[in-house]
Structure formats: C-alpha cells, structure tokens
Amino acid sequence: MMKLAIYAITVNGAKQAQRLKRALPYADVFVSEVGINECEFAQPLAFPLSGFVEEKFSQYDGHIFVFASGIVSRVIAPLLGDKRTDPAVVCLDEQAKFAISLLSGHRGGANELTERVAYIVKATPVVTTASDVSESVSVDMLGAPFGWYLDPQTENAITPVSAAVVNEQPVAIIQQAGEKGWWKYDKRMPAHLICHDSLDAFNADDYQGAILISDEKRIEIGKWHNKLVLWHPKSIVLGIGCDRNTPVSVLKAGLESFSDEFNISLESVYGLASIDLKADETGIIELAEENQWPYQTYAPQVLDNVKGIEKPSDYVKKVTGSCSVAEAAALKLSNTEKLIVAKWAFKQDGFNMTLACCRRAFSEPLAWQNRKNWLGKNKHGSHGRHGMTDQPGEAQHQATPVKVNAYGNEVVEGYQCKPKHPDLNRPMLYHRHHILVCEGGRCAKAGSKNLGHELRGLLKEMGLASGSKRIKVSRTMCAGACRNRSTMVIYQRDASEAAAVNNALWLRNIETLSETQWRELFQALANDKPITQVLDSDYFAPIAAPSGDEQ
C-alpha cells in the first residue's frame, strides 16, 4: 500500500480532496486555509508552497496535487533526483476533469495511481508512457506486480530495451521460471515481441533487446550485454533443517554456499519451510525476517506422507517423527512433487544444516498462453500456427499442412474430411463427446474467443480428433448462460449407457483453464472418467430443477 499525500489550495480543490480521502482513507490531506473547512480530517497547508512540499516530498510514496499542472511542475522541479527513487506524482484539476500522471509513471506507480484517482472522481486519466498507451510490455515494471526482483546489474539496459519495445523492434522475452500472467492485455501480443523458455534459442544479433526471467544466479549473457534486462521471480522454495541454536551467521554462510554450488539466486527465494520442531528456531526466524521470507513449518506426520522425497532417513525418522525434513518441507510448501536440489548438507563452527530446493510451478489459462508469440512453434508443438515464425519480429502466416479428400476439399490434416456442399447420403462423423463452446458476445469478451480453435489443435495432438474416442468441438453463438460466462456444455453419445457419466454437463469460467487442465479434462472424457474428479466444483454451473409446469 502506497503512503499518499493529497494537496489542495482552493475551495473546489478541497472538495475533490475530500472525495479522494473517502476512497483512500490512509492518505494524508493538506489543504490551504481557504478550503480547509471543506475537507474533513485535513491538515493545514502552509505557504510558500515550494517549501511545504519540499519537506513532505520524500516522506510519501505518492503525491496527488489538486491544482494546475504548471504549478506542480515548478514546485517539484528542484526536488527531482533519480527516476528509480522519485515518488509518484499525479495532478488533478479542481473540476476533476483530468487526472495526469506527471512523474514516476512506471517505477513509482503514478500511472496506476492516476487510473485509481480518475476512477474515484470520474475523471479522464491522462497517461503518456509509451508502453502503457500502446498496451505493450513495460520493461521496468513487468515483474513488479508479482514481487520479482529487478537485477541492478542490467539497469543500464532498461532504456534501450524499452525503446526497442515502443519502436516495434525485435525483442526476445525468455521465461524460465515464475508467474506467467505478465501479459495483461486481452489481445494478441505485438508481433515484434517473441517468447521462448531458453536464451540459447535466440541469436542476439537479430534482436534489439531481451527480457530474461530466471532464478539462476550466474547467467551467461554474452552478446546481450547492455541490451538484456534480468528479472528474478520468487520461484524458489527452500526446505531447511539445522542443529538446535545454530547461529544465523552459519545459516547465511550455508545459503551462500548452496547458492553458488547450484547456481540459484537468493533473490528468487519465495520462502522457507521446515518441521514444527523448528518453529521456534531463532536463527531460522531471524534469517526469514531479515529477508522478508515467509517461514512455514509442518507436523511430522504431514511431512512423512509427502510425495517426491529422494533421500529419506531412518535416523531422521527416529529423531523427528518424519523420514525427511528439508526435502519434505520444500515439496510441501512448493506444492510440487519434484526436487530441483535434493538434501544438501553444510557444516560450519560445529553446527550442521541441511537444505533442499523446489521450484514453484505456475500455469496460465490456455487462452492467455496463446496470446503470446512463441518462437517457431506454439505450446502444442505445431509449427506455423498463429503466424509464429522463426524470424525475429515477423508475423507471417504459415499455412497449416492440408490434404485433399475424395470430394476435392482441402481439410486440416488430422481431421476427417468435410464436403463443401450438402451430401445427404454421407453419414455424420462419429464422435464420443460433443463440446459446445459459447463464443457469444459476453463469453467472447470474457476470454472464450477463438478458444474452440485452440481446443481442436490440442485434441489433434492428443489423438482425440478422430477414432472411437473422438471429441468434437463446435463454437456457438450465445448459449443462453451469460450469468456463467465463459460457458461450454458437454454432451456424451449413447447417454443411456451406464458409462455416460459426462453427459449434459455445463462448465463455466473455462477461459481460466490451463493447458494441463484441458488435457486432464479431455483424457477423462476419453476414458469415461467423471470430469468432476479432475476439475474443481467451481467450474461446474449449477442447473436449476424443473418447475412444476415443466415436469
């Protein structure tokens, strides 16, 4: 939460300050004598204005001035220092027609504050930052909403990479770890931004900049020097165990050694985990507080049943009640079943500690994933879809391989042939399940637009686009279930059979399903397994019982 100050020097300005104060109760309000009675809880604003603001400028994260932008510019000009540390400044006219992001739009958060102020007073937000106006990637704020760490060693690259983004020059975005929802716009990513999960996939000479999201400590950037910006996501979970009363200095030394040996950035540590016996371990608590890491402990019986433990110990079981501490705790907190570093031991000054490491797994809805441009292929492994190409900055459409059927029609490879004209003698193609995806106005806006096309590609890859287990996907206009958007319904052939467990099921919020969840859903349909076992109940729309007149 930003620490905010609001200033007003006229009666109408004080009225606007009062409106802002109601919506931003933790803000401090300063009003001149002429309007102070118009604003409850206001503190007096003294003149000269320049001296008053100078005293307050560094005490707040953001400043909202309810007067002319020219006055604000002259007042704050002598106070400006470094764009990385200057507070956010927003200017609002006293009639609340325009809210202007004046200073520190990105790093200071003025752009977001401007949007908030404009919403409160029903003004028009004025934001001039190029990447925000064009709805593109913000190089220096990409990871801020997730708490990522912007590596200062690549600070000098921010300006040239940002320039490349707004000038529509080729920019590579490489994500190896962390949250995937950084592309926040409900549209296709600009063609000059190309994504991949490996830096080695790109030739630095072909790109004007790169954004790397990685939890590695040492990264060979080579030719990317001064045109690569590095973000460290909070993706690493450490399981920790130690002797009783191990000094924090030993724990720090162990962490540094662990980081060096396994090339793991401590800036990417999300949190620490251990057994309940260590809930009061002073050294671990101090280490967690110093780094602002959450520290979670678990009961022995919980840790003993965790999947993915690689080095269980009978001795540890005898002493603690669990066959593992560091490994099990890391697996439990990360909610995964895979270690990236198994139990590792460290000893210094007679004290022992153990560490284990997991990487938090993140997914994103299939619809969001396919708004990004993937180098050479999409996430399903199909080359040429969505206009993706191996050439940087290009978006040339490459046709999907086609074949011609006996009717002379070109159809997508992997699908049964469909005639151009009605053929009353040709039977309908068999399908085990029929999925109707609503692409009516409201559902499409919520995220189902073009989703049916993506699902067909996924079914083709899974081998479920033909054969006895074929799943047919059709896109519909409004399905009449707008309250549950985005919506789809599943019908199962031969619904009278006992195995028809997935017939006439209505799903909602389908735009949030990840690729993994879609795969699990389709596999369940193919195996006649109830999809209620693979999807949370929140995805199923309730169906009202028929009324008396309908029975």
Side-chain angles (χ1 to χ4, degrees):
M1 183 180 296
M2 297 178 70
K3 185 179 180 182
L4 300 175
I6 303 172
Y7 308 85
I9 56 176
T10 66
V11 173
N12 284 332
K15 292 178 181 178
Q16 303 303 339
Q18 175 71 354
R19 295 172 67 186
L20 293 170
K21 173 66 175 178
R22 292 194 188 106
L24 304 169
Y26 297 103
D28 292 332
V29 181
F30 303 97
V31 178
S32 66
E33 183 178 356
V34 68
I36 197 166
N37 292 329
E38 299 292 336
C39 187
E40 189 179 5
F41 305 120
Q43 303 176 48
L45 184 153
F47 290 93
L49 189 59
S50 57
F52 186 85
V53 173
E54 181 180 6
E55 181 183 344
K56 306 292 183 184
F57 198 65
S58 62
Q59 298 177 15
Y60 294 89
D61 301 315
H63 300 266
I64 304 171
F65 294 93
V66 192
F67 39 84
S69 59
I71 299 175
V72 180
S73 299
R74 289 183 174 87
V75 168
I76 68 172
L79 308 177
L80 304 185
D82 192 325
K83 63 180 291 185
R84 295 169 293 183
T85 57
D86 283 337
V89 174
V90 175
C91 184
L92 176 71
D93 67 277
E94 65 168 28
Q95 298 300 320
K97 292 184 177 181
F98 299 98
I100 306 170
S101 176
L102 201 62
L103 180 69
S104 292
H106 271 168
R107 303 287 279 273
N111 290 353
E112 291 185 9
L113 182 58
T114 297
E115 298 282 354
R116 177 63 175 157
V117 168
Y119 177 81
I120 294 169
V121 300
K122 296 180 173 58
T124 300
V126 179
V127 176
T128 57
T129 306
S131 59
D132 285 0
V133 173
S134 61
E135 295 187 334
S136 190
V137 167
S138 173
V139 173
D140 57 348
M141 289 297 290
L142 182 112
F146 311 110
W148 297 356
Y149 176 77
L150 182 59
D151 196 316
Q153 296 183 50
T154 61
E155 185 78 33
N156 292 336
I158 290 177
T159 298
V161 176
S162 298
V165 169
V166 300
N167 290 322
E168 299 184 357
Q169 297 174 313
V171 174
I173 303 177
I174 306 97
Q175 181 163 19
Q176 299 172 348
E179 293 89 343
K180 299 180 179 180
W182 44 265
W183 179 251
K184 58 184 180 180
Y185 301 108
D186 186 15
K187 67 176 187 179
R188 186 83 190 163
M189 179 181 286
H192 66 286
L193 304 178
I194 312 296
C195 301
H196 204 272
D197 57 10
S198 173
L199 186 62
D200 294 336
F202 297 95
N203 182 352
D205 294 335
D206 294 332
Y207 292 83
Q208 298 302 310
I211 302 171
L212 176 60
I213 307 163
S214 174
D215 52 23
E216 294 182 349
K217 181 176 183 178
R218 298 179 302 276
I219 299 172
E220 180 56 49
I221 61 175
K223 295 182 180 180
W224 295 98
H225 184 63
N226 283 337
K227 63 176 185 178
L228 182 144
V229 175
L230 174 60
W231 283 94
H232 290 297
K234 295 295 184 180
S235 55
I236 297 297
V237 169
L238 295 176
I240 186 170
C242 65
D243 292 338
R244 177 60 71 179
N245 298 323
T246 299
V248 69
S249 59
V250 173
L251 299 180
K252 289 180 179 179
L255 273 179
E256 289 294 339
S257 181
F258 182 84
S259 171
D260 288 337
E261 182 169 341
F262 298 104
N263 195 26
I264 292 173
S265 170
L266 296 182
E267 301 295 349
S268 286
V269 173
Y270 165 76
L272 303 177
S274 191
I275 196 168
D276 278 350
L277 293 172
K278 294 298 176 181
D280 60 348
E281 187 66 48
T282 305
I284 300 179
I285 294 173
E286 184 178 343
L287 180 68
E289 290 179 348
E290 182 176 322
N291 291 280
Q292 297 183 333
W293 293 335
Y295 176 43
Q296 179 70 49
T297 61
Y298 301 96
Q301 58 269 29
V302 172
L303 296 181
D304 209 32
N305 293 317
V306 168
K307 295 181 179 180
I309 297 171
E310 295 184 12
K311 297 180 179 179
S313 168
D314 293 336
Y315 175 76
V316 173
K317 172 77 171 179
K318 180 178 179 180
V319 173
T320 68
S322 171
C323 66
S324 172
V325 172
E327 290 186 353
L331 290 163
K332 181 65 177 177
L333 182 57
S334 64
N335 195 30
T336 62
E337 296 181 2
K338 182 179 180 181
L339 294 161
I340 59 173
V341 179
K343 183 172 67 175
W344 174 86
F346 178 80
K347 185 173 184 178
Q348 180 175 293
D349 300 334
F351 293 95
N352 296 282
M353 72 176 292
T354 56
L355 289 170
C357 178
C358 290
R359 181 175 286 116
R360 298 167 70 201
F362 296 97
S363 63
E364 65 180 329
L366 181 64
W368 297 4
Q369 173 181 295
N370 287 317
R371 290 173 187 158
K372 300 174 181 176
N373 303 317
W374 299 97
L375 179 65
K377 62 180 181 179
N378 66 17
K379 279 293 186 178
H380 302 149
S382 302
H383 290 263
R385 290 180 57 208
H386 302 306
M388 287 173 288
T389 170
D390 288 320
Q391 298 302 316
E394 296 183 4
Q396 301 173 351
H397 178 72
Q398 300 177 11
T400 306
V402 296
K403 63 180 181 181
V404 179
N405 64 9
Y407 298 89
N409 301 311
E410 287 188 348
V411 294
V412 177
E413 186 176 353
Y415 288 93
Q416 298 291 343
C417 302
K418 299 179 182 179
K420 286 182 178 179
H421 306 290
D423 182 356
L424 300 181
N425 296 320
R426 189 168 184 268
M428 295 286 291
L429 294 177
Y430 177 86
H431 53 268
R432 180 65 172 166
H433 292 90
H434 194 178
I435 295 176
L436 304 177
V437 179
C438 179
E439 290 193 10
R442 294 180 179 179
C443 286
K445 186 175 181 180
S448 70
K449 185 177 181 180
N450 296 325
L451 182 58
H453 176 71
E454 305 297 343
L455 299 182
R456 290 170 183 164
L458 191 56
L459 286 168
K460 174 187 171 184
E461 181 188 330
M462 296 177 67
L464 297 176
S466 60
S468 62
K469 295 184 178 182
R470 179 182 181 230
I471 299 173
K472 177 180 176 63
V473 175
S474 297
R475 297 180 288 178
T476 76
M477 295 305 290
C478 182
C482 299
R483 293 181 180 179
N484 291 294
R485 56 184 182 269
S486 293
T487 305
M488 79 178 196
V489 61
I490 302 173
Y491 290 111
Q492 183 167 343
R493 196 178 184 91
D494 302 325
S496 60
E497 297 179 4
V501 294
N502 294 311
N503 184 53
L505 295 178
W506 286 77
L507 273 66
R508 59 187 177 187
N509 303 323
I510 59 172
E511 79 281 0
T512 66
L513 290 172
S514 67
E515 180 178 331
T516 299
Q517 289 174 303
W518 281 113
R519 288 179 180 274
E520 291 175 347
L521 185 155
F522 291 150
Q523 200 61 57
L525 293 179
N527 296 332
D528 286 325
K529 175 182 177 180
I531 63 172
T532 53
Q533 296 180 11
V534 299
L535 289 183
D536 189 84
S537 59
D538 290 342
Y539 287 107
F540 295 89
I543 301 176
S547 64
D549 294 339
E550 296 170 335
Q551 294 180 1

